[in-house]
Amino acid sequence: MESLIHNPGPPLAALLLLALSTALGLAQVAKIIKVYEAKHELKHGSAGFIRGIAGWSLVAFWVMAVWFVATVIGDWWATEDLAGAMDRAWLRLRILLEIAAAIADSD
């Protein structure tokens, strides 16, 4: 609690990230679900279901972006060193970009 009083920036940034990512992502996810439900009969194991899940890479990219920013905020809060948190974030970003490339190739 002492850390929260002295450095309220990371928790406030985390709350802002949560609100912003929810506002941006929720509408997109709901739209994707409605479109796929309208186009396909999404029964598990059907060919329509297998083809239908391919468009979910957008959701995966959204989750990865939110996770990345959340890890930077968490690192910043835990170490109270924003510059160090950003330096460590470059390694996580490289890994996420490789995962995103693999997801994009499979979509």
Side-chain angles (χ1 to χ4, degrees), residues 62-76:
W62 170 63
V63 168
M64 288 190 304
V66 171
W67 177 83
F68 174 74
V69 175
T71 59
V72 172
I73 293 170
D75 191 352
W76 174 27

Side-chain angles (χ1 to χ4, degrees), residues 13-84:
L15 289 174
L16 181 62
L17 171 68
L18 179 64
L20 185 63
S21 65
T22 301
L24 293 175
L26 193 58
Q28 195 69 352
V29 170
K31 181 179 175 182
I32 289 172
I33 290 171
K34 287 178 185 175
V35 167
Y36 281 120
E37 285 178 348
K39 285 186 176 181
H40 304 287
E41 188 175 333
L42 296 179
K43 292 182 181 175
H44 188 68
S46 69
F49 177 79
I50 302 299
R51 282 191 303 266
I53 61 174
W56 287 86
S57 61
L58 180 63
V59 175
F61 295 146
W62 170 63
V63 168
M64 288 190 304
V66 171
W67 177 83
F68 174 74
V69 175
T71 59
V72 172
I73 293 170
D75 191 352
W76 174 27
W77 190 19
T79 63
E80 296 182 0
D81 177 25
L82 181 58

Side-chain angles (χ1 to χ4, degrees), residues 1-12 77 80:
M1 193 63 160
E2 182 84 17
S3 175
L4 180 61
I5 294 170
H6 292 330
N7 190 8
L12 291 176
W77 190 19
E80 296 182 0

Side-chain angles (χ1 to χ4, degrees), residues 61 64-65 67-68 89-105:
F61 295 146
M64 288 190 304
W67 177 83
F68 174 74
W90 285 109
L91 176 61
R92 288 190 294 268
L93 181 61
R94 181 177 173 200
I95 293 168
L96 276 177
L97 288 176
E98 290 180 18
I99 292 170
I103 290 172
D105 285 344

